[in-house]
Amino acid sequence: MASAASAPSDAAVPSPEDLVARARAMVPTLKERTRRCVAERDVPAETIAELHEAGFFRILQPRRWGGYEMHPNVFFDVQKTLAEGCMSTGWMYGVVGCHPYEIALFHEEAQVEIWGEDTSALASSSYQPVGKVTPVDGGFRLSGCWGFSTGSVHCQWVILGALVPPSEPGGAPDMRAFLLPRSDYTIDTDAWHVFGLQGTGSHDVIVDDVFVPAYRTHRAMDGFLCANPGQETNPGPLYTLPWAQVFTRSVSTAAFGGARAAINAAMDIAQSRVSTNTGKASKHDPFLLAAISRAEAEVTEMEQTLRLTFDDLMGHAQRGEAIPMEKRSRYAYNSSSVVRRMAELVDDMVKLLGGRAVYMSSEIIQPWLDLHAGRAHVANDPNNRTTDFVGGMLGQAPTFTFL
């Protein structure tokens, strides 16, 4: 059974630069597979195998379980690079690839179950609190149907959100994530029919009254307080970060790759497009050039802001300091706002490209659709964060603890 003795040597751990270079080398192949990814409504199995081979799923995994335990910015750099080739693939990687981080926060018994025999095992998720939970001796009975479980067919486990009923009348329910093996649930692969991010394979997961031991649950409040049972055996600074900060970035970062792909496509179209009606060349259109310039500048600005976010968070963690709630609220808001901003920037380019941006074969259309689909995720709605953002500046306690 795997243990700390299985930790890779320093020489066996690739550098951040090597990992990003591996992702960059995959971009042409991901572009070639995009139409298949979309048509099949899932990431191709060979792409999953290549992501494993490149070591990408190990970036946030503990060293003691064969992972690299790296700075989160390495993970996000790989994610946005993959998304430049195919945003569905980048989105899937971000969601599935961040779960080794949360698994490291579960009780040690759960870590042993998932990684004890196979340190490459993966988990998908759906945190919608829609399940029915019944407390029983040693754990819970769980039933329900959860949507949006990205990458589920490629995973051996799933993490599902549900509310544990209060133990006393008038008490508050306890939000938890429940970790289940593949034998405990079924996947409905015919539910995912959407206009964008089609290739993420975000299928429905169905659970019919199964037992989940208490040690295979993760309390949302533990994640908020940064006091998780897994920190006893994974004590590194990385695992003292608020779990919500890691997860919310995993569903916003793919948009950077999508936006970059759209910018590149707009520039390519502009170089050759001449309107058959006006005879004007797009490369001389001041409005299109302004839209491209604005998109490039603002995407870079957002990218740098979110990079500094995790540099700051890791600085607090490495110094053993609690992260101020005002910062946590601010950073959650920043992450929630970027997908909508990038979708609007790409809108401005698309509407200036005429008929060349009407055909589904246009290189700008799929990332445009993907960005608009990505806006729908609850973590990418900044309106959910405004109360705590302003409240944090005023020194008030947060009303929503997933931050």
Side-chain angles (χ1 to χ4, degrees):
M1 185 167 290
S3 66
S6 65
S9 66
D10 289 343
V13 175
S15 69
E17 294 77 14
D18 285 342
L19 288 165
V20 175
R22 292 175 189 178
R24 176 60 58 190
M26 288 183 66
V27 168
T29 300
L30 296 180
K31 282 182 177 292
E32 291 174 1
R33 291 177 184 161
T34 295
R35 295 193 185 285
R36 175 184 163 198
C37 186
V38 168
E40 296 180 357
R41 296 177 296 109
D42 224 326
V43 175
E46 54 262 48
T47 297
I48 300 296
E50 289 159 4
L51 298 177
H52 272 295
E53 184 178 2
F56 295 155
F57 290 116
R58 296 186 181 274
I59 293 175
L60 296 180
Q61 190 168 353
R63 287 285 291 265
R64 57 189 290 269
W65 289 114
Y68 303 155
E69 203 165 323
M70 287 180 160
H71 193 298
N73 279 339
V74 180
F75 177 76
F76 298 129
D77 284 346
V78 167
Q79 183 186 9
K80 64 191 177 188
T81 303
L82 295 172
E84 193 172 329
C86 171
M87 189 169 158
S88 281
T89 300
W91 181 285
M92 182 285 306
Y93 168 70
V95 174
V96 174
C98 79
H99 289 144
Y101 184 96
E102 186 181 16
I103 292 165
L105 305 180
F106 275 78
H107 192 281
E108 177 69 5
E109 284 185 70
Q111 297 176 53
V112 170
E113 281 195 28
I114 190 169
W115 287 326
E117 299 297 334
D118 181 8
T119 60
S120 68
L122 299 176
S124 65
S125 68
S126 177
Y127 294 99
Q128 294 178 304
V130 296
K132 177 184 177 183
V133 180
T134 304
V136 295
D137 288 345
F140 308 89
R141 306 295 303 188
L142 181 68
S143 296
C145 178
W146 288 257
F148 306 101
S149 188
T150 295
S152 49
V153 299
H154 303 294
C155 297
Q156 298 76 45
W157 295 75
V158 71
I159 303 170
L160 301 172
L163 295 171
V164 177
S167 57
E168 299 179 0
D174 181 19
M175 176 66 184
R176 297 197 186 204
F178 293 75
L179 178 64
L180 282 68
R182 185 66 183 80
S183 58
D184 280 358
Y185 59 94
T186 58
I187 300 172
D188 179 2
T189 59
D190 195 38
W192 185 241
H193 295 276
V194 289
F195 72 80
L197 293 176
Q198 303 97 319
T200 60
S202 300
H203 304 303
D204 287 5
V205 168
I206 302 163
V207 177
D208 184 13
D209 189 30
V210 301
F211 174 71
V212 184
Y215 66 80
R216 273 206 264 116
T217 69
H218 179 217
R219 298 181 67 242
M221 186 54 65
D222 290 344
F224 172 69
L225 297 174
C226 304
N228 305 280
Q231 290 172 243
E232 293 183 13
T233 50
N234 299 308
L238 175 63
Y239 302 108
T240 65
L241 296 176
W243 156 238
Q245 296 287 332
V246 177
F247 179 77
T248 54
R249 274 295 304 281
S250 78
V251 294
S252 67
T253 297
F256 286 100
R260 292 285 181 201
I263 291 169
N264 291 339
M267 290 193 294
D268 287 344
I269 294 171
Q271 291 303 307
S272 60
R273 178 179 177 268
V274 177
S275 172
T276 55
N277 290 303
T278 66
K280 294 181 180 179
S282 289
K283 63 184 177 182
H284 299 311
D285 179 354
F287 298 104
L288 176 58
L289 298 181
I292 294 173
S293 298
R294 185 167 58 254
E296 175 64 25
E298 293 193 24
V299 169
T300 300
E301 166 210 324
M302 289 183 273
E303 192 173 44
Q304 292 174 345
T305 296
L306 295 191
R307 171 174 290 279
L308 291 173
T309 290
F310 267 88
D311 283 340
D312 185 42
L313 290 172
M314 281 300 295
H316 283 285
Q318 289 162 348
R319 294 189 296 270
E321 302 170 350
I323 302 164
M325 285 298 167
E326 188 277 332
K327 283 189 174 182
R328 290 170 64 169
S329 298
R330 178 184 299 273
Y331 294 158
Y333 176 84
N334 287 346
S335 180
S336 72
S337 67
V338 298
V339 181
R340 294 193 174 198
R341 288 180 62 189
M342 284 187 273
E344 290 167 1
L345 290 167
V346 176
D347 282 348
D348 289 343
M349 294 187 293
V350 168
K351 66 187 180 185
L352 293 166
L353 292 171
R356 290 284 292 277
V358 170
Y359 294 95
M360 288 301 297
S361 58
S362 172
E363 292 291 327
I364 201 170
I365 294 302
Q366 190 60 53
W368 178 58
L369 294 171
D370 292 340
L371 286 164
H372 279 278
R375 299 190 326 163
H377 195 289
V378 64
N380 291 330
D381 183 353
N383 294 316
N384 293 327
R385 298 293 186 176
T386 53
T387 297
D388 287 334
F389 187 10
V390 176
M393 291 190 287
L394 296 173
Q396 299 171 357
T399 61
F400 182 47
T401 56
F402 196 68
L403 58 80

